[in-house]
Amino acid sequence: MKIDIILCGVGGMGALSSAAIISEAALEMGWYMKQAETHGMSQRGGDVQSHLRLSDEPIASDLIPEGQCDIILSVEPMEALRYLPFLHKDGWVITNEKPFVNIPNYPDIEAVLAEVKKIPHHILLDADAIAKEVKNPKGANMVVLGAASKYLKIDIEKLENAVRSIFGKKGDAVVDANIAALRAGRAVADK
């Protein structure tokens, strides 16, 4: 078993927190994990991405070759498009449909979403609205992670345990809000 994931978004949107949760859950399952990150400047809205490789066997490289990514998990739709060359022909793109317009020449959002819809396996969801519905307005990343959880080959309980571990020091309310957002995203994928 192996799964290669690119997590991406704009600095401050939680893509790297999602990577940490997946990594911790995979390690709890006894899997091997390698990760490579690029951090953007969140105060400038810089892009952030992480290559995350999981396997039940040792992993040689932390970088995903072009055409081999199983899942692009994105909290911003234009950022999802940036990594399409890495996507395997049977891979999934799971992305928030709400843009973070941080540049003056941001492309037309309908054109961006049309490109995502060309991918045979995709989930587009309004993660911002879903996060607000579950009273976690900053939890869009957890909603997207929940939607992706169906394809991660990781038990949802393991992801919830990782949320508890990573956010536990922030208190039960933060943990509960993030688990609610995770479950809400999973419900979208299960439909």
Side-chain angles (χ1 to χ4, degrees):
M1 183 290 310
K2 77 152 191 76
I3 186 161
D4 289 335
I5 307 159
I6 292 178
L7 297 99
C8 55
V10 174
M13 295 181 77
L16 299 182
S17 293
S18 295
I21 290 164
I22 295 168
S23 297
E24 187 158 323
L27 291 173
E28 185 181 343
M29 292 184 66
W31 293 353
Y32 294 91
M33 182 273 300
K34 288 223 181 209
Q35 181 177 6
E37 296 178 354
T38 301
H39 302 264
M41 295 292 289
S42 62
Q43 65 269 34
R44 293 187 184 162
D47 69 309
V48 175
Q49 60 92 13
S50 176
H51 286 221
L52 183 58
R53 306 190 81 187
L54 310 173
S55 179
D56 56 0
E57 297 179 7
I59 302 165
S61 172
D62 54 359
L63 296 176
I64 300 169
E66 283 194 16
Q68 296 302 309
C69 182
D70 299 300
I71 297 173
I72 295 174
L73 189 158
S74 181
V75 291
E76 205 289 327
M78 188 176 71
E79 291 302 321
L81 295 183
R82 183 188 307 262
Y83 299 100
L84 287 183
F86 288 90
L87 192 65
H88 186 274
K89 65 179 176 60
D90 296 323
W92 281 85
V93 173
I94 301 161
T95 185
N96 188 2
E97 66 185 22
K98 292 297 176 190
F100 181 80
V101 181
N102 57 347
I103 54 175
N105 60 343
Y106 193 99
D108 174 66
I109 188 58
E110 293 307 318
V112 170
L113 298 178
E115 289 300 312
V116 172
K117 290 175 183 175
K118 290 179 183 177
I119 306 304
H121 301 102
H122 69 271
I123 296 176
L124 269 169
L125 68 163
D126 187 343
D128 292 355
I130 294 167
K132 287 176 185 167
E133 284 174 21
V134 297
K135 311 232 182 314
N136 184 0
K138 294 182 180 178
N141 65 318
M142 291 293 104
V143 174
V144 175
L145 175 55
S149 69
K150 184 171 182 171
Y151 308 100
L152 292 174
K153 303 176 188 172
I154 297 174
D155 303 330
I156 191 79
E157 296 81 16
K158 301 288 189 214
L159 292 169
E160 290 176 5
N161 289 344
V163 168
R164 286 182 190 95
S165 173
I166 289 170
F167 293 113
K169 62 184 168 234
K170 294 184 177 189
D172 290 343
V174 172
V175 169
D176 293 344
N178 281 295
I179 289 175
L182 186 76
R183 290 178 181 168
R186 179 57 182 258
V188 170
D190 284 342
K191 287 183 184 175

